[in-house]
CSV table of all heavy atoms in Angstrom, one decimal:
chain,number,residue,atom,x,y,z
T,1,ILE,N,-1.8,10.3,24.2
T,1,ILE,CA,-2.0,11.8,24.3
T,1,ILE,C,-1.8,12.5,23.0
T,1,ILE,O,-2.1,13.7,22.9
T,1,ILE,CB,-1.0,12.4,25.4
T,1,ILE,CG1,0.4,12.2,24.9
T,1,ILE,CG2,-1.2,11.7,26.7
T,1,ILE,CD1,1.4,13.0,25.7
T,2,PHE,N,-1.4,11.8,22.0
T,2,PHE,CA,-1.2,12.5,20.7
T,2,PHE,C,-2.5,12.9,20.1
T,2,PHE,O,-3.5,12.2,20.3
T,2,PHE,CB,-0.5,11.6,19.7
T,2,PHE,CG,1.0,11.3,20.0
T,2,PHE,CD1,1.6,10.2,19.5
T,2,PHE,CD2,1.7,12.2,20.8
T,2,PHE,CE1,3.0,10.0,19.8
T,2,PHE,CE2,3.0,12.0,21.1
T,2,PHE,CZ,3.7,10.9,20.6
T,3,TYR,N,-2.6,14.0,19.4
T,3,TYR,CA,-3.8,14.4,18.7
T,3,TYR,C,-4.1,13.6,17.5
T,3,TYR,O,-3.2,13.0,16.8
T,3,TYR,CB,-3.6,15.9,18.3
T,3,TYR,CG,-3.7,16.8,19.5
T,3,TYR,CD1,-2.5,17.2,20.1
T,3,TYR,CD2,-4.8,17.4,20.0
T,3,TYR,CE1,-2.5,18.1,21.2
T,3,TYR,CE2,-4.9,18.3,21.1
T,3,TYR,CZ,-3.7,18.6,21.7
T,3,TYR,OH,-3.7,19.5,22.8
T,4,PRO,N,-5.3,13.5,17.1
T,4,PRO,CA,-5.7,12.7,15.9
T,4,PRO,C,-5.1,13.3,14.6
T,4,PRO,O,-5.0,12.6,13.6
T,4,PRO,CB,-7.2,12.9,15.8
T,4,PRO,CG,-7.6,13.1,17.2
T,4,PRO,CD,-6.5,14.0,17.8
T,5,CYS,N,-4.6,14.6,14.7
T,5,CYS,CA,-4.0,15.2,13.5
T,5,CYS,C,-2.6,14.8,13.3
T,5,CYS,O,-2.0,15.2,12.3
T,5,CYS,CB,-4.1,16.7,13.6
T,5,CYS,SG,-3.3,17.3,15.1
T,6,SER,N,-2.0,13.9,14.1
T,6,SER,CA,-0.7,13.4,14.0
T,6,SER,C,-0.7,12.1,13.3
T,6,SER,O,-1.3,11.1,13.8
T,6,SER,CB,0.0,13.3,15.4
T,6,SER,OG,1.3,12.7,15.3
T,7,TYR,N,0.0,11.9,12.2
T,7,TYR,CA,-0.2,10.7,11.3
T,7,TYR,C,1.1,9.9,11.2
T,7,TYR,O,1.0,8.7,10.7
T,7,TYR,CB,-0.6,11.2,9.9
T,7,TYR,CG,-2.0,11.7,9.8
T,7,TYR,CD1,-2.3,13.0,10.1
T,7,TYR,CD2,-3.1,10.9,9.5
T,7,TYR,CE1,-3.6,13.5,10.1
T,7,TYR,CE2,-4.4,11.3,9.5
T,7,TYR,CZ,-4.6,12.7,9.8
T,7,TYR,OH,-5.9,13.2,9.7
T,8,SER,N,2.2,10.3,11.6
T,8,SER,CA,3.4,9.6,11.4
T,8,SER,C,3.7,8.4,12.3
T,8,SER,O,3.6,8.6,13.5
T,8,SER,CB,4.6,10.6,11.5
T,8,SER,OG,5.9,9.9,11.3
T,9,CYS,N,3.9,7.2,11.7
T,9,CYS,CA,4.3,6.1,12.5
T,9,CYS,C,3.3,5.7,13.6
T,9,CYS,O,3.7,5.5,14.8
T,9,CYS,CB,5.7,6.2,13.1
T,9,CYS,SG,7.0,6.5,11.9
T,10,ARG,N,2.0,5.8,13.3
T,10,ARG,CA,1.0,5.5,14.3
T,10,ARG,C,0.0,4.5,13.7
T,10,ARG,O,-0.3,4.5,12.5
T,10,ARG,CB,0.2,6.7,14.7
T,10,ARG,CG,1.1,7.8,15.4
T,10,ARG,CD,0.2,9.0,15.8
T,10,ARG,NE,-0.7,8.6,16.9
T,10,ARG,CZ,-1.8,9.4,17.2
T,10,ARG,NH1,-2.0,10.5,16.6
T,10,ARG,NH2,-2.6,8.9,18.2
T,11,VAL,N,-0.5,3.6,14.6
T,11,VAL,CA,-1.5,2.6,14.2
T,11,VAL,C,-2.7,3.3,13.7
T,11,VAL,O,-3.2,4.2,14.3
T,11,VAL,CB,-1.8,1.6,15.4
T,11,VAL,CG1,-2.9,0.6,14.9
T,11,VAL,CG2,-0.6,0.9,15.8
T,12,ARG,N,-3.3,2.8,12.6
T,12,ARG,CA,-4.5,3.3,11.9
T,12,ARG,C,-4.3,4.8,11.5
T,12,ARG,O,-5.3,5.5,11.3
T,12,ARG,CB,-5.7,3.2,12.9
T,12,ARG,CG,-6.1,1.7,13.1
T,12,ARG,CD,-7.4,1.6,13.9
T,12,ARG,NE,-7.1,2.0,15.3
T,12,ARG,CZ,-6.6,1.3,16.2
T,12,ARG,NH1,-6.2,0.0,16.0
T,12,ARG,NH2,-6.4,1.7,17.5
T,13,LYS,N,-3.1,5.2,11.3
T,13,LYS,CA,-2.8,6.5,10.7
T,13,LYS,C,-2.0,6.3,9.5
T,13,LYS,O,-2.4,5.6,8.6
T,13,LYS,CB,-2.1,7.4,11.8
T,13,LYS,CG,-3.0,7.8,13.0
T,13,LYS,CD,-4.1,8.7,12.6
T,13,LYS,CE,-4.9,9.2,13.7
T,13,LYS,NZ,-6.0,10.1,13.4
T,14,GLY,N,-0.9,7.0,9.4
T,14,GLY,CA,0.0,6.8,8.2
T,14,GLY,C,-0.3,7.7,7.0
T,14,GLY,O,-1.2,8.5,7.1
T,15,THR,N,0.5,7.5,6.0
T,15,THR,CA,0.5,8.3,4.8
T,15,THR,C,-0.9,8.4,4.1
T,15,THR,O,-1.5,9.4,3.9
T,15,THR,CB,1.5,7.8,3.8
T,15,THR,OG1,2.8,7.8,4.3
T,15,THR,CG2,1.5,8.7,2.5
T,16,HIS,N,-1.5,7.2,3.8
T,16,HIS,CA,-2.7,7.2,3.1
T,16,HIS,C,-3.9,7.7,3.9
T,16,HIS,O,-4.8,8.4,3.3
T,16,HIS,CB,-3.0,5.8,2.6
T,16,HIS,CG,-1.9,5.2,1.7
T,16,HIS,ND1,-1.5,3.9,1.8
T,16,HIS,CD2,-1.2,5.8,0.7
T,16,HIS,CE1,-0.5,3.8,0.9
T,16,HIS,NE2,-0.4,4.9,0.2
T,17,LYS,N,-3.9,7.5,5.2
T,17,LYS,CA,-5.0,8.1,6.0
T,17,LYS,C,-4.8,9.6,6.0
T,17,LYS,O,-5.9,10.3,6.0
T,17,LYS,CB,-4.8,7.5,7.4
T,17,LYS,CG,-5.8,8.1,8.5
T,17,LYS,CD,-7.2,7.9,8.2
T,17,LYS,CE,-8.1,8.4,9.4
T,17,LYS,NZ,-9.5,8.4,9.0
T,18,GLY,N,-3.6,10.1,6.1
T,18,GLY,CA,-3.4,11.5,6.1
T,18,GLY,C,-3.9,12.2,4.8
T,18,GLY,O,-4.5,13.2,4.8
T,19,VAL,N,-3.6,11.6,3.7
T,19,VAL,CA,-4.0,12.1,2.4
T,19,VAL,C,-5.5,12.1,2.3
T,19,VAL,O,-6.1,13.0,1.8
T,19,VAL,CB,-3.3,11.3,1.2
T,19,VAL,CG1,-4.0,11.6,-0.1
T,19,VAL,CG2,-1.8,11.5,1.2
T,20,LYS,N,-6.1,11.0,2.7
T,20,LYS,CA,-7.6,10.8,2.6
T,20,LYS,C,-8.2,11.9,3.5
T,20,LYS,O,-9.2,12.6,3.0
T,20,LYS,CB,-8.0,9.5,3.1
T,20,LYS,CG,-9.5,9.2,3.1
T,20,LYS,CD,-9.8,7.8,3.7
T,20,LYS,CE,-11.3,7.6,3.7
T,20,LYS,NZ,-11.6,6.2,4.2
T,21,ASP,N,-7.7,12.2,4.7
T,21,ASP,CA,-8.4,13.2,5.5
T,21,ASP,C,-8.2,14.6,5.0
T,21,ASP,O,-9.1,15.4,5.1
T,21,ASP,CB,-7.8,13.1,7.0
T,21,ASP,CG,-8.3,11.8,7.7
T,21,ASP,OD1,-9.1,11.1,7.1
T,21,ASP,OD2,-7.8,11.5,8.8
T,22,VAL,N,-7.0,14.9,4.5
T,22,VAL,CA,-6.7,16.2,3.9
T,22,VAL,C,-7.7,16.5,2.7
T,22,VAL,O,-8.3,17.5,2.6
T,22,VAL,CB,-5.2,16.3,3.4
T,22,VAL,CG1,-5.1,17.5,2.5
T,22,VAL,CG2,-4.3,16.5,4.6
T,23,GLN,N,-7.8,15.5,1.8
T,23,GLN,CA,-8.7,15.7,0.7
T,23,GLN,C,-10.1,15.9,1.1
T,23,GLN,O,-10.9,16.7,0.5
T,23,GLN,CB,-8.6,14.6,-0.3
T,23,GLN,CG,-9.3,14.8,-1.6
T,23,GLN,CD,-9.0,13.8,-2.7
T,23,GLN,OE1,-9.2,12.6,-2.4
T,23,GLN,NE2,-8.6,14.2,-3.8
T,24,ALA,N,-10.6,15.1,2.1
T,24,ALA,CA,-11.9,15.2,2.6
T,24,ALA,C,-12.2,16.6,3.2
T,24,ALA,O,-13.3,17.2,3.0
T,24,ALA,CB,-12.2,14.1,3.7
T,25,THR,N,-11.2,17.2,3.8
T,25,THR,CA,-11.3,18.5,4.4
T,25,THR,C,-11.4,19.6,3.3
T,25,THR,O,-12.1,20.5,3.4
T,25,THR,CB,-10.1,18.8,5.3
T,25,THR,OG1,-10.1,17.8,6.4
T,25,THR,CG2,-10.3,20.2,6.0
T,26,ILE,N,-10.6,19.4,2.2
T,26,ILE,CA,-10.6,20.3,1.1
T,26,ILE,C,-12.0,20.3,0.5
T,26,ILE,O,-12.6,21.4,0.2
T,26,ILE,CB,-9.6,19.9,0.0
T,26,ILE,CG1,-8.2,20.1,0.5
T,26,ILE,CG2,-9.8,20.6,-1.3
T,26,ILE,CD1,-7.1,19.6,-0.4
T,27,ARG,N,-12.6,19.2,0.3
T,27,ARG,CA,-13.9,19.1,-0.3
T,27,ARG,C,-15.0,19.7,0.7
T,27,ARG,O,-15.9,20.4,0.2
T,27,ARG,CB,-14.3,17.6,-0.5
T,27,ARG,CG,-13.5,17.0,-1.7
T,27,ARG,CD,-13.7,15.5,-1.7
T,27,ARG,NE,-13.0,14.9,-2.9
T,27,ARG,CZ,-12.9,13.6,-3.1
T,27,ARG,NH1,-13.4,12.7,-2.2
T,27,ARG,NH2,-12.2,13.1,-4.1
T,28,ARG,N,-14.8,19.5,2.0
T,28,ARG,CA,-15.8,20.1,2.9
T,28,ARG,C,-15.8,21.6,2.9
T,28,ARG,O,-16.8,22.2,2.9
T,28,ARG,CB,-15.5,19.5,4.3
T,28,ARG,CG,-16.4,20.1,5.4
T,28,ARG,CD,-16.2,19.4,6.7
T,28,ARG,NE,-14.8,19.3,7.1
T,28,ARG,CZ,-14.2,20.3,7.7
T,28,ARG,NH1,-14.8,21.5,7.9
T,28,ARG,NH2,-12.9,20.2,8.1
T,29,ILE,N,-14.6,22.2,2.8
T,29,ILE,CA,-14.4,23.6,2.8
T,29,ILE,C,-15.0,24.2,1.5
T,29,ILE,O,-15.8,25.2,1.5
T,29,ILE,CB,-13.0,24.1,3.0
T,29,ILE,CG1,-12.5,23.7,4.4
T,29,ILE,CG2,-12.8,25.6,2.8
T,29,ILE,CD1,-11.0,23.9,4.6
T,30,GLU,N,-14.7,23.5,0.4
T,30,GLU,CA,-15.2,24.0,-0.9
T,30,GLU,C,-16.7,23.8,-1.0
T,30,GLU,O,-17.4,24.6,-1.7
T,30,GLU,CB,-14.5,23.2,-2.1
T,30,GLU,CG,-13.1,23.6,-2.3
T,30,GLU,CD,-12.5,23.1,-3.6
T,30,GLU,OE1,-13.1,22.1,-4.1
T,30,GLU,OE2,-11.5,23.7,-4.1
T,31,SER,N,-17.3,22.8,-0.3
T,31,SER,CA,-18.7,22.6,-0.4
T,31,SER,C,-19.5,23.8,0.3
T,31,SER,O,-20.7,24.0,0.0
T,31,SER,CB,-19.1,21.3,0.3
T,31,SER,OG,-18.9,21.4,1.8
């Protein structure tokens, strides 16, 4: 039931996935 935006202690999530998704969103908004 957790949302995809929750990254802590979850399979296929975690620190690096969170950083990657944040940076991709920054680029998308700036584009």
Side-chain angles (χ1 to χ4, degrees):
I1 66 168
F2 290 158
Y3 289 90
C5 56
S6 171
Y7 289 86
S8 177
C9 301
R10 298 183 64 194
V11 176
R12 293 183 292 277
K13 291 292 184 177
T15 300
H16 298 139
K17 173 64 172 170
V19 171
K20 180 180 178 181
D21 288 353
V22 165
Q23 188 172 55
T25 303
I26 290 173
R27 290 171 176 170
R28 177 169 53 79
I29 295 174
E30 287 194 339
S31 71

